[in-house]
Amino acid sequence: MSSIVDALYELKYNPFKYGEYIASFYSAISDVDNNLLLAQLVIPLCSHPVFACKLSNANIKSSIWSIFGDRTKLYDLQERIDEFQNLTEQSIQYCLVNDWLSVEEDSLALSFSANPEIPLAIQKNAEKLGRIFSGHSVVEIYEHLGVKPR
């Protein structure tokens, strides 16, 4: 029975699907130093039932405080970050292989670089999350969400 559950989990949460989320996030984020540290937030927030809905309804005026203002709904975010850590790493590797992202080693940053040979379906929730996080420091984002980077 556990192999069926594991297979369903692998089908739903796979790096091929969530690689597009990571790339979409980095296509929209700007003015954030050490943005590589934010990668582990993308999948847990974009796949969260409450925040996925809030992100899909976000507009240009939305901010980190309006989307993530109710901290009681963030109670399981640290567990989700820990659970999706391996998936995040695999998704980043998938993006690097497809040339959707490049690593700036000196600044610990990922930058978006579109590859016309391998089309990318932009994931709107991840793109909106990138816009919402833009201009904020990594420390400020983690502090507001009440989680710690791992």
Side-chain angles (χ1 to χ4, degrees):
M1 182 64 162
S2 68
S3 63
I4 293 172
V5 172
D6 291 339
L8 289 173
Y9 178 86
E10 292 291 325
L11 186 63
K12 179 171 173 128
Y13 297 106
N14 67 70
F16 307 111
K17 175 182 175 184
Y18 284 101
E20 291 181 339
Y21 281 80
I22 299 288
S24 297
F25 175 79
Y26 284 103
S27 73
I29 196 164
S30 62
D31 299 327
V32 178
D33 295 331
N34 302 324
N35 70 14
L36 176 63
L37 299 171
L38 296 176
Q40 61 184 338
L41 296 173
V42 176
I43 297 171
L45 290 173
C46 289
S47 67
H48 193 280
V50 172
F51 295 114
C53 183
K54 283 188 167 201
L55 286 169
S56 66
N57 294 327
N59 58 34
I60 293 174
K61 294 181 181 181
S62 297
S63 69
I64 190 171
W65 295 278
S66 64
I67 299 294
F68 305 107
D70 186 0
R71 295 185 66 149
T72 59
K73 294 186 173 145
L74 294 167
Y75 71 93
D76 66 339
L77 184 57
Q78 187 69 57
E79 293 171 12
R80 291 176 66 83
I81 289 170
D82 296 341
E83 181 66 31
F84 290 128
Q85 185 172 5
N86 189 37
L87 177 61
T88 299
E89 292 169 4
Q90 292 173 347
S91 297
I92 290 171
Q93 289 173 359
Y94 180 68
C95 290
L96 292 171
V97 166
N98 286 323
D99 293 328
W100 292 338
L101 296 177
S102 60
V103 178
E104 298 171 16
E105 295 172 3
D106 56 327
S107 62
L108 283 176
L110 289 173
S111 60
F112 180 73
S113 55
N115 182 353
E117 294 177 12
I118 304 173
L120 168 69
I122 296 292
Q123 300 298 317
K124 292 295 183 186
N125 283 358
E127 186 179 47
K128 289 178 181 181
L129 184 65
R131 276 193 244 123
I132 288 168
F133 284 173
S134 291
H136 297 285
S137 71
V138 172
V139 173
E140 182 182 14
I141 293 167
Y142 274 99
E143 185 177 284
H144 180 74
L145 296 175
V147 295
K148 297 178 182 176
R150 307 253 180 186

